[in-house]
Amino acid sequence: IKGFAAAEVEEVYRRALAMREKLLGGSHPDVATSLNNLANVLQELNRDQRVGASEARARARLGTGIGASTTDVEAMYRRALSIQQSTLGSQNPETAKTLNNLAVLLSLRGDFSQAEQLHRDAIAASRGSSLVNRQSAEHSAAHDCVPS
């Protein structure tokens, strides 16, 4: 972000999200990545604003938000997380990153109990994905050693 105008950076990430949603559909893992990236940028730019009640109701009807008590950044992280958990699973490194990012946001707001649980979930997801990767590598190595 350093060296670029904040508005330009935000616009690039918003365009990337819009293109991915249009091309891939709203529930594709790449859309989740774009949501996570945009939320990170907005958070870094201190653009974490509360969503108004009417906006929250409209988003709820469209399925793009989670309620009036959230902010745009939180809603983006939660939507990304929902997409990742349903498409990639809970033991995926990308899911772990989003869990961690949401936990950091909630910690900064002082919601320590929810942040702690999300951090625990992120650690479990990271450990789970590491275990799956190790088992896959061991399985591949075992098959590579079998004489033909």
mmCIF file of all heavy atoms in Angstrom, residues 79-127:
data_model
loop_
_atom_site.group_PDB
_atom_site.id
_atom_site.type_symbol
_atom_site.label_atom_id
_atom_site.label_comp_id
_atom_site.label_asym_id
_atom_site.label_seq_id
_atom_site.Cartn_x
_atom_site.Cartn_y
_atom_site.Cartn_z
ATOM 1 N N ARG A 79 -17.893 -13.466 5.206
ATOM 2 C CA ARG A 79 -18.335 -14.041 3.930
ATOM 3 C C ARG A 79 -17.225 -14.893 3.327
ATOM 4 O O ARG A 79 -17.471 -16.004 2.830
ATOM 5 C CB ARG A 79 -18.752 -12.937 2.964
ATOM 6 C CG ARG A 79 -19.253 -13.489 1.650
ATOM 7 C CD ARG A 79 -19.825 -12.435 0.735
ATOM 8 N NE ARG A 79 -19.980 -12.996 -0.579
ATOM 9 C CZ ARG A 79 -19.731 -12.360 -1.701
ATOM 10 N NH1 ARG A 79 -19.369 -11.093 -1.682
ATOM 11 N NH2 ARG A 79 -19.871 -12.959 -2.865
ATOM 12 N N ALA A 80 -15.983 -14.395 3.350
ATOM 13 C CA ALA A 80 -14.839 -15.165 2.846
ATOM 14 C C ALA A 80 -14.721 -16.482 3.606
ATOM 15 O O ALA A 80 -14.539 -17.549 3.003
ATOM 16 C CB ALA A 80 -13.553 -14.357 2.980
ATOM 17 N N LEU A 81 -14.868 -16.409 4.919
ATOM 18 C CA LEU A 81 -14.770 -17.600 5.750
ATOM 19 C C LEU A 81 -15.859 -18.611 5.404
ATOM 20 O O LEU A 81 -15.596 -19.813 5.281
ATOM 21 C CB LEU A 81 -14.855 -17.203 7.231
ATOM 22 C CG LEU A 81 -14.647 -18.296 8.258
ATOM 23 C CD1 LEU A 81 -13.301 -18.977 8.074
ATOM 24 C CD2 LEU A 81 -14.773 -17.710 9.658
ATOM 25 N N SER A 82 -17.062 -18.145 5.216
ATOM 26 C CA SER A 82 -18.170 -19.020 4.854
ATOM 27 C C SER A 82 -17.900 -19.731 3.523
ATOM 28 O O SER A 82 -18.107 -20.948 3.394
ATOM 29 C CB SER A 82 -19.465 -18.202 4.768
ATOM 30 O OG SER A 82 -20.523 -19.000 4.307
ATOM 31 N N ILE A 83 -17.422 -18.975 2.547
ATOM 32 C CA ILE A 83 -17.099 -19.565 1.242
ATOM 33 C C ILE A 83 -15.991 -20.604 1.395
ATOM 34 O O ILE A 83 -16.081 -21.720 0.865
ATOM 35 C CB ILE A 83 -16.671 -18.468 0.239
ATOM 36 C CG1 ILE A 83 -17.851 -17.555 -0.096
ATOM 37 C CG2 ILE A 83 -16.090 -19.097 -1.030
ATOM 38 C CD1 ILE A 83 -17.458 -16.277 -0.831
ATOM 39 N N GLN A 84 -14.938 -20.247 2.127
ATOM 40 C CA GLN A 84 -13.804 -21.156 2.286
ATOM 41 C C GLN A 84 -14.188 -22.423 3.025
ATOM 42 O O GLN A 84 -13.783 -23.516 2.635
ATOM 43 C CB GLN A 84 -12.658 -20.444 3.004
ATOM 44 C CG GLN A 84 -12.013 -19.387 2.134
ATOM 45 C CD GLN A 84 -11.121 -18.453 2.909
ATOM 46 O OE1 GLN A 84 -11.309 -18.225 4.092
ATOM 47 N NE2 GLN A 84 -10.130 -17.885 2.226
ATOM 48 N N GLN A 85 -14.964 -22.284 4.084
ATOM 49 C CA GLN A 85 -15.348 -23.477 4.837
ATOM 50 C C GLN A 85 -16.214 -24.414 3.995
ATOM 51 O O GLN A 85 -16.085 -25.624 4.093
ATOM 52 C CB GLN A 85 -16.060 -23.087 6.128
ATOM 53 C CG GLN A 85 -15.098 -22.507 7.152
ATOM 54 C CD GLN A 85 -15.781 -21.978 8.400
ATOM 55 O OE1 GLN A 85 -16.902 -21.488 8.346
ATOM 56 N NE2 GLN A 85 -15.082 -22.057 9.521
ATOM 57 N N SER A 86 -17.068 -23.851 3.133
ATOM 58 C CA SER A 86 -17.935 -24.711 2.335
ATOM 59 C C SER A 86 -17.230 -25.268 1.096
ATOM 60 O O SER A 86 -17.590 -26.347 0.633
ATOM 61 C CB SER A 86 -19.215 -23.974 1.932
ATOM 62 O OG SER A 86 -18.921 -22.896 1.078
ATOM 63 N N THR A 87 -16.219 -24.571 0.574
ATOM 64 C CA THR A 87 -15.558 -25.050 -0.639
ATOM 65 C C THR A 87 -14.205 -25.707 -0.382
ATOM 66 O O THR A 87 -13.849 -26.661 -1.069
ATOM 67 C CB THR A 87 -15.374 -23.908 -1.661
ATOM 68 O OG1 THR A 87 -14.574 -22.877 -1.078
ATOM 69 C CG2 THR A 87 -16.705 -23.363 -2.127
ATOM 70 N N LEU A 88 -13.460 -25.193 0.573
ATOM 71 C CA LEU A 88 -12.116 -25.699 0.842
ATOM 72 C C LEU A 88 -12.049 -26.583 2.085
ATOM 73 O O LEU A 88 -11.121 -27.363 2.233
ATOM 74 C CB LEU A 88 -11.133 -24.532 1.014
ATOM 75 C CG LEU A 88 -11.025 -23.545 -0.146
ATOM 76 C CD1 LEU A 88 -10.128 -22.374 0.237
ATOM 77 C CD2 LEU A 88 -10.519 -24.240 -1.398
ATOM 78 N N GLY A 89 -13.003 -26.395 2.980
ATOM 79 C CA GLY A 89 -13.012 -27.144 4.234
ATOM 80 C C GLY A 89 -12.367 -26.361 5.361
ATOM 81 O O GLY A 89 -11.701 -25.349 5.144
ATOM 82 N N SER A 90 -12.573 -26.848 6.558
ATOM 83 C CA SER A 90 -12.070 -26.130 7.736
ATOM 84 C C SER A 90 -10.599 -26.390 8.004
ATOM 85 O O SER A 90 -9.982 -25.690 8.796
ATOM 86 C CB SER A 90 -12.901 -26.517 8.966
ATOM 87 O OG SER A 90 -12.787 -27.906 9.197
ATOM 88 N N GLN A 91 -10.002 -27.392 7.343
ATOM 89 C CA GLN A 91 -8.592 -27.726 7.561
ATOM 90 C C GLN A 91 -7.723 -27.240 6.415
ATOM 91 O O GLN A 91 -6.794 -27.919 5.994
ATOM 92 C CB GLN A 91 -8.443 -29.250 7.720
ATOM 93 C CG GLN A 91 -9.272 -29.845 8.828
ATOM 94 C CD GLN A 91 -8.846 -29.346 10.189
ATOM 95 O OE1 GLN A 91 -7.707 -29.501 10.585
ATOM 96 N NE2 GLN A 91 -9.767 -28.750 10.913
ATOM 97 N N ASN A 92 -8.004 -26.056 5.902
ATOM 98 C CA ASN A 92 -7.285 -25.515 4.760
ATOM 99 C C ASN A 92 -6.484 -24.283 5.182
ATOM 100 O O ASN A 92 -6.973 -23.483 5.984
ATOM 101 C CB ASN A 92 -8.300 -25.148 3.663
ATOM 102 C CG ASN A 92 -7.638 -24.675 2.406
ATOM 103 O OD1 ASN A 92 -7.225 -23.524 2.316
ATOM 104 N ND2 ASN A 92 -7.531 -25.556 1.425
ATOM 105 N N PRO A 93 -5.289 -24.102 4.647
ATOM 106 C CA PRO A 93 -4.481 -22.937 5.032
ATOM 107 C C PRO A 93 -5.162 -21.600 4.742
ATOM 108 O O PRO A 93 -5.002 -20.645 5.500
ATOM 109 C CB PRO A 93 -3.206 -23.074 4.196
ATOM 110 C CG PRO A 93 -3.174 -24.475 3.724
ATOM 111 C CD PRO A 93 -4.568 -24.991 3.735
ATOM 112 N N GLU A 94 -5.914 -21.510 3.654
ATOM 113 C CA GLU A 94 -6.611 -20.260 3.336
ATOM 114 C C GLU A 94 -7.704 -19.973 4.360
ATOM 115 O O GLU A 94 -7.909 -18.829 4.761
ATOM 116 C CB GLU A 94 -7.190 -20.305 1.917
ATOM 117 C CG GLU A 94 -6.129 -20.364 0.831
ATOM 118 C CD GLU A 94 -5.148 -19.205 0.901
ATOM 119 O OE1 GLU A 94 -5.595 -18.032 0.986
ATOM 120 O OE2 GLU A 94 -3.933 -19.463 0.863
ATOM 121 N N THR A 95 -8.401 -21.018 4.784
ATOM 122 C CA THR A 95 -9.416 -20.873 5.822
ATOM 123 C C THR A 95 -8.762 -20.408 7.118
ATOM 124 O O THR A 95 -9.279 -19.515 7.804
ATOM 125 C CB THR A 95 -10.165 -22.203 6.035
ATOM 126 O OG1 THR A 95 -10.707 -22.642 4.780
ATOM 127 C CG2 THR A 95 -11.288 -22.063 7.043
ATOM 128 N N ALA A 96 -7.613 -20.979 7.431
ATOM 129 C CA ALA A 96 -6.880 -20.591 8.648
ATOM 130 C C ALA A 96 -6.485 -19.118 8.606
ATOM 131 O O ALA A 96 -6.602 -18.407 9.613
ATOM 132 C CB ALA A 96 -5.651 -21.472 8.819
ATOM 133 N N LYS A 97 -6.039 -18.633 7.442
ATOM 134 C CA LYS A 97 -5.656 -17.221 7.316
ATOM 135 C C LYS A 97 -6.843 -16.304 7.583
ATOM 136 O O LYS A 97 -6.716 -15.290 8.273
ATOM 137 C CB LYS A 97 -5.107 -16.936 5.913
ATOM 138 C CG LYS A 97 -3.746 -17.486 5.650
ATOM 139 C CD LYS A 97 -3.341 -17.177 4.217
ATOM 140 C CE LYS A 97 -2.178 -18.024 3.787
ATOM 141 N NZ LYS A 97 -1.863 -17.798 2.359
ATOM 142 N N THR A 98 -7.987 -16.649 7.014
ATOM 143 C CA THR A 98 -9.167 -15.809 7.204
ATOM 144 C C THR A 98 -9.637 -15.848 8.647
ATOM 145 O O THR A 98 -10.018 -14.813 9.205
ATOM 146 C CB THR A 98 -10.295 -16.222 6.241
ATOM 147 O OG1 THR A 98 -9.792 -16.146 4.898
ATOM 148 C CG2 THR A 98 -11.504 -15.315 6.365
ATOM 149 N N LEU A 99 -9.610 -17.016 9.269
ATOM 150 C CA LEU A 99 -9.947 -17.107 10.694
ATOM 151 C C LEU A 99 -9.041 -16.196 11.515
ATOM 152 O O LEU A 99 -9.506 -15.462 12.388
ATOM 153 C CB LEU A 99 -9.804 -18.554 11.184
ATOM 154 C CG LEU A 99 -10.906 -19.518 10.821
ATOM 155 C CD1 LEU A 99 -10.437 -20.965 11.004
ATOM 156 C CD2 LEU A 99 -12.149 -19.245 11.652
ATOM 157 N N ASN A 100 -7.759 -16.236 11.213
ATOM 158 C CA ASN A 100 -6.802 -15.393 11.935
ATOM 159 C C ASN A 100 -7.075 -13.912 11.697
ATOM 160 O O ASN A 100 -7.053 -13.110 12.638
ATOM 161 C CB ASN A 100 -5.372 -15.743 11.521
ATOM 162 C CG ASN A 100 -4.366 -14.958 12.323
ATOM 163 O OD1 ASN A 100 -4.219 -15.150 13.518
ATOM 164 N ND2 ASN A 100 -3.685 -14.044 11.654
ATOM 165 N N ASN A 101 -7.322 -13.525 10.450
ATOM 166 C CA ASN A 101 -7.581 -12.122 10.146
ATOM 167 C C ASN A 101 -8.818 -11.604 10.876
ATOM 168 O O ASN A 101 -8.814 -10.497 11.411
ATOM 169 C CB ASN A 101 -7.735 -11.917 8.638
ATOM 170 C CG ASN A 101 -6.443 -12.105 7.890
ATOM 171 O OD1 ASN A 101 -5.365 -12.084 8.467
ATOM 172 N ND2 ASN A 101 -6.546 -12.312 6.592
ATOM 173 N N LEU A 102 -9.869 -12.407 10.898
ATOM 174 C CA LEU A 102 -11.084 -12.017 11.618
ATOM 175 C C LEU A 102 -10.805 -11.924 13.115
ATOM 176 O O LEU A 102 -11.261 -11.004 13.787
ATOM 177 C CB LEU A 102 -12.217 -12.996 11.320
ATOM 178 C CG LEU A 102 -13.549 -12.731 12.003
ATOM 179 C CD1 LEU A 102 -14.087 -11.334 11.706
ATOM 180 C CD2 LEU A 102 -14.565 -13.795 11.584
ATOM 181 N N ALA A 103 -10.027 -12.850 13.632
ATOM 182 C CA ALA A 103 -9.677 -12.825 15.059
ATOM 183 C C ALA A 103 -8.904 -11.563 15.418
ATOM 184 O O ALA A 103 -9.165 -10.941 16.453
ATOM 185 C CB ALA A 103 -8.867 -14.071 15.418
ATOM 186 N N VAL A 104 -7.971 -11.165 14.567
ATOM 187 C CA VAL A 104 -7.201 -9.945 14.817
ATOM 188 C C VAL A 104 -8.130 -8.734 14.834
ATOM 189 O O VAL A 104 -8.037 -7.878 15.721
ATOM 190 C CB VAL A 104 -6.077 -9.776 13.767
ATOM 191 C CG1 VAL A 104 -5.468 -8.387 13.823
ATOM 192 C CG2 VAL A 104 -5.018 -10.845 13.957
ATOM 193 N N LEU A 105 -9.037 -8.655 13.870
ATOM 194 C CA LEU A 105 -9.992 -7.547 13.827
ATOM 195 C C LEU A 105 -10.803 -7.483 15.121
ATOM 196 O O LEU A 105 -10.940 -6.412 15.728
ATOM 197 C CB LEU A 105 -10.937 -7.702 12.626
ATOM 198 C CG LEU A 105 -12.071 -6.678 12.553
ATOM 199 C CD1 LEU A 105 -11.539 -5.299 12.214
ATOM 200 C CD2 LEU A 105 -13.113 -7.130 11.545
ATOM 201 N N LEU A 106 -11.319 -8.609 15.552
ATOM 202 C CA LEU A 106 -12.138 -8.629 16.769
ATOM 203 C C LEU A 106 -11.306 -8.299 18.005
ATOM 204 O O LEU A 106 -11.794 -7.637 18.919
ATOM 205 C CB LEU A 106 -12.843 -9.976 16.909
ATOM 206 C CG LEU A 106 -13.859 -10.274 15.792
ATOM 207 C CD1 LEU A 106 -14.420 -11.677 15.946
ATOM 208 C CD2 LEU A 106 -14.977 -9.245 15.764
ATOM 209 N N SER A 107 -10.054 -8.721 18.024
ATOM 210 C CA SER A 107 -9.158 -8.370 19.136
ATOM 211 C C SER A 107 -8.960 -6.861 19.210
ATOM 212 O O SER A 107 -8.994 -6.275 20.288
ATOM 213 C CB SER A 107 -7.790 -9.029 18.962
ATOM 214 O OG SER A 107 -7.868 -10.403 19.166
ATOM 215 N N LEU A 108 -8.755 -6.249 18.049
ATOM 216 C CA LEU A 108 -8.559 -4.800 18.008
ATOM 217 C C LEU A 108 -9.788 -4.055 18.515
ATOM 218 O O LEU A 108 -9.668 -2.959 19.063
ATOM 219 C CB LEU A 108 -8.231 -4.340 16.585
ATOM 220 C CG LEU A 108 -6.871 -4.783 16.056
ATOM 221 C CD1 LEU A 108 -6.744 -4.466 14.565
ATOM 222 C CD2 LEU A 108 -5.750 -4.128 16.847
ATOM 223 N N ARG A 109 -10.947 -4.659 18.357
ATOM 224 C CA ARG A 109 -12.187 -4.049 18.835
ATOM 225 C C ARG A 109 -12.464 -4.356 20.301
ATOM 226 O O ARG A 109 -13.416 -3.848 20.865
ATOM 227 C CB ARG A 109 -13.372 -4.585 18.033
ATOM 228 C CG ARG A 109 -13.443 -4.043 16.669
ATOM 229 C CD ARG A 109 -14.846 -4.327 16.180
ATOM 230 N NE ARG A 109 -14.866 -4.273 14.761
ATOM 231 C CZ ARG A 109 -15.619 -5.028 14.002
ATOM 232 N NH1 ARG A 109 -16.424 -5.912 14.541
ATOM 233 N NH2 ARG A 109 -15.599 -4.901 12.708
ATOM 234 N N GLY A 110 -11.682 -5.248 20.876
ATOM 235 C CA GLY A 110 -11.884 -5.591 22.278
ATOM 236 C C GLY A 110 -12.796 -6.781 22.502
ATOM 237 O O GLY A 110 -13.132 -7.098 23.642
ATOM 238 N N ASP A 111 -13.181 -7.487 21.446
ATOM 239 C CA ASP A 111 -14.020 -8.681 21.571
ATOM 240 C C ASP A 111 -13.095 -9.886 21.736
ATOM 241 O O ASP A 111 -12.935 -10.715 20.837
ATOM 242 C CB ASP A 111 -14.912 -8.830 20.338
ATOM 243 C CG ASP A 111 -15.918 -9.962 20.480
ATOM 244 O OD1 ASP A 111 -15.835 -10.739 21.458
ATOM 245 O OD2 ASP A 111 -16.792 -10.063 19.601
ATOM 246 N N PHE A 112 -12.471 -9.957 22.919
ATOM 247 C CA PHE A 112 -11.419 -10.933 23.141
ATOM 248 C C PHE A 112 -11.907 -12.371 23.214
ATOM 249 O O PHE A 112 -11.199 -13.276 22.779
ATOM 250 C CB PHE A 112 -10.627 -10.566 24.405
ATOM 251 C CG PHE A 112 -9.998 -9.213 24.316
ATOM 252 C CD1 PHE A 112 -10.380 -8.201 25.168
ATOM 253 C CD2 PHE A 112 -9.040 -8.933 23.353
ATOM 254 C CE1 PHE A 112 -9.812 -6.937 25.075
ATOM 255 C CE2 PHE A 112 -8.468 -7.685 23.242
ATOM 256 C CZ PHE A 112 -8.851 -6.683 24.112
ATOM 257 N N SER A 113 -13.102 -12.606 23.724
ATOM 258 C CA SER A 113 -13.567 -13.991 23.832
ATOM 259 C C SER A 113 -13.813 -14.596 22.457
ATOM 260 O O SER A 113 -13.408 -15.723 22.186
ATOM 261 C CB SER A 113 -14.820 -14.089 24.708
ATOM 262 O OG SER A 113 -15.875 -13.350 24.135
ATOM 263 N N GLN A 114 -14.453 -13.845 21.567
ATOM 264 C CA GLN A 114 -14.685 -14.368 20.228
ATOM 265 C C GLN A 114 -13.369 -14.455 19.454
ATOM 266 O O GLN A 114 -13.138 -15.414 18.717
ATOM 267 C CB GLN A 114 -15.694 -13.506 19.471
ATOM 268 C CG GLN A 114 -16.144 -14.127 18.171
ATOM 269 C CD GLN A 114 -17.239 -13.347 17.472
ATOM 270 O OE1 GLN A 114 -17.642 -12.279 17.892
ATOM 271 N NE2 GLN A 114 -17.716 -13.895 16.374
ATOM 272 N N ALA A 115 -12.498 -13.470 19.644
ATOM 273 C CA ALA A 115 -11.200 -13.485 18.974
ATOM 274 C C ALA A 115 -10.377 -14.694 19.413
ATOM 275 O O ALA A 115 -9.748 -15.353 18.578
ATOM 276 C CB ALA A 115 -10.445 -12.195 19.276
ATOM 277 N N GLU A 116 -10.405 -14.994 20.697
ATOM 278 C CA GLU A 116 -9.650 -16.149 21.194
ATOM 279 C C GLU A 116 -10.132 -17.436 20.540
ATOM 280 O O GLU A 116 -9.325 -18.266 20.113
ATOM 281 C CB GLU A 116 -9.769 -16.265 22.717
ATOM 282 C CG GLU A 116 -9.034 -17.467 23.269
ATOM 283 C CD GLU A 116 -9.201 -17.648 24.769
ATOM 284 O OE1 GLU A 116 -10.004 -16.927 25.392
ATOM 285 O OE2 GLU A 116 -8.524 -18.535 25.310
ATOM 286 N N GLN A 117 -11.441 -17.608 20.448
ATOM 287 C CA GLN A 117 -11.974 -18.825 19.833
ATOM 288 C C GLN A 117 -11.578 -18.916 18.361
ATOM 289 O O GLN A 117 -11.209 -19.984 17.868
ATOM 290 C CB GLN A 117 -13.499 -18.899 19.969
ATOM 291 C CG GLN A 117 -14.088 -20.204 19.444
ATOM 292 C CD GLN A 117 -13.474 -21.426 20.103
ATOM 293 O OE1 GLN A 117 -13.462 -21.549 21.317
ATOM 294 N NE2 GLN A 117 -12.946 -22.346 19.296
ATOM 295 N N LEU A 118 -11.627 -17.792 17.662
ATOM 296 C CA LEU A 118 -11.234 -17.801 16.254
ATOM 297 C C LEU A 118 -9.745 -18.091 16.087
ATOM 298 O O LEU A 118 -9.347 -18.801 15.159
ATOM 299 C CB LEU A 118 -11.603 -16.474 15.594
ATOM 300 C CG LEU A 118 -13.098 -16.253 15.381
ATOM 301 C CD1 LEU A 118 -13.379 -14.806 15.007
ATOM 302 C CD2 LEU A 118 -13.647 -17.201 14.335
ATOM 303 N N HIS A 119 -8.916 -17.559 17.002
ATOM 304 C CA HIS A 119 -7.486 -17.886 16.964
ATOM 305 C C HIS A 119 -7.284 -19.381 17.188
ATOM 306 O O HIS A 119 -6.467 -20.006 16.506
ATOM 307 C CB HIS A 119 -6.702 -17.092 18.013
ATOM 308 C CG HIS A 119 -6.328 -15.713 17.580
ATOM 309 N ND1 HIS A 119 -5.559 -15.454 16.471
ATOM 310 C CD2 HIS A 119 -6.620 -14.506 18.113
ATOM 311 C CE1 HIS A 119 -5.391 -14.156 16.348
ATOM 312 N NE2 HIS A 119 -6.022 -13.542 17.321
ATOM 313 N N ARG A 120 -8.017 -19.953 18.135
ATOM 314 C CA ARG A 120 -7.916 -21.396 18.382
ATOM 315 C C ARG A 120 -8.333 -22.190 17.131
ATOM 316 O O ARG A 120 -7.694 -23.178 16.770
ATOM 317 C CB ARG A 120 -8.766 -21.803 19.576
ATOM 318 C CG ARG A 120 -8.229 -21.326 20.903
ATOM 319 C CD ARG A 120 -9.138 -21.768 22.056
ATOM 320 N NE ARG A 120 -8.776 -21.140 23.298
ATOM 321 C CZ ARG A 120 -7.786 -21.554 24.087
ATOM 322 N NH1 ARG A 120 -7.077 -22.603 23.748
ATOM 323 N NH2 ARG A 120 -7.518 -20.915 25.212
ATOM 324 N N ASP A 121 -9.413 -21.744 16.491
ATOM 325 C CA ASP A 121 -9.873 -22.404 15.265
ATOM 326 C C ASP A 121 -8.819 -22.290 14.156
ATOM 327 O O ASP A 121 -8.601 -23.239 13.400
ATOM 328 C CB ASP A 121 -11.192 -21.795 14.783
ATOM 329 C CG ASP A 121 -12.354 -22.070 15.727
ATOM 330 O OD1 ASP A 121 -12.239 -22.943 16.625
ATOM 331 O OD2 ASP A 121 -13.398 -21.397 15.573
ATOM 332 N N ALA A 122 -8.175 -21.122 14.069
ATOM 333 C CA ALA A 122 -7.132 -20.915 13.053
ATOM 334 C C ALA A 122 -5.949 -21.845 13.302
ATOM 335 O O ALA A 122 -5.406 -22.438 12.357
ATOM 336 C CB ALA A 122 -6.678 -19.456 13.048
ATOM 337 N N ILE A 123 -5.564 -21.983 14.561
ATOM 338 C CA ILE A 123 -4.455 -22.884 14.899
ATOM 339 C C ILE A 123 -4.830 -24.320 14.555
ATOM 340 O O ILE A 123 -4.041 -25.056 13.953
ATOM 341 C CB ILE A 123 -4.073 -22.740 16.385
ATOM 342 C CG1 ILE A 123 -3.429 -21.376 16.615
ATOM 343 C CG2 ILE A 123 -3.145 -23.872 16.821
ATOM 344 C CD1 ILE A 123 -3.285 -21.000 18.080
ATOM 345 N N ALA A 124 -6.040 -24.716 14.906
ATOM 346 C CA ALA A 124 -6.495 -26.074 14.597
ATOM 347 C C ALA A 124 -6.530 -26.307 13.084
ATOM 348 O O ALA A 124 -6.127 -27.366 12.607
ATOM 349 C CB ALA A 124 -7.876 -26.316 15.203
ATOM 350 N N ALA A 125 -6.992 -25.308 12.343
ATOM 351 C CA ALA A 125 -7.031 -25.431 10.885
ATOM 352 C C ALA A 125 -5.623 -25.546 10.315
ATOM 353 O O ALA A 125 -5.380 -26.349 9.408
ATOM 354 C CB ALA A 125 -7.760 -24.243 10.273
ATOM 355 N N SER A 126 -4.693 -24.759 10.856
ATOM 356 C CA SER A 126 -3.304 -24.824 10.392
ATOM 357 C C SER A 126 -2.686 -26.174 10.703
ATOM 358 O O SER A 126 -2.020 -26.774 9.858
ATOM 359 C CB SER A 126 -2.462 -23.726 11.044
ATOM 360 O OG SER A 126 -2.886 -22.467 10.609
ATOM 361 N N ARG A 127 -2.915 -26.656 11.900
ATOM 362 C CA ARG A 127 -2.382 -27.977 12.281
ATOM 363 C C ARG A 127 -3.009 -29.063 11.432
ATOM 364 O O ARG A 127 -2.328 -29.985 10.996
ATOM 365 C CB ARG A 127 -2.635 -28.246 13.757
ATOM 366 C CG ARG A 127 -1.731 -27.471 14.655
ATOM 367 C CD ARG A 127 -1.966 -27.810 16.101
ATOM 368 N NE ARG A 127 -1.083 -27.041 16.946
ATOM 369 C CZ ARG A 127 -1.349 -26.735 18.194
ATOM 370 N NH1 ARG A 127 -2.480 -27.136 18.769
ATOM 371 N NH2 ARG A 127 -0.495 -26.029 18.906
#
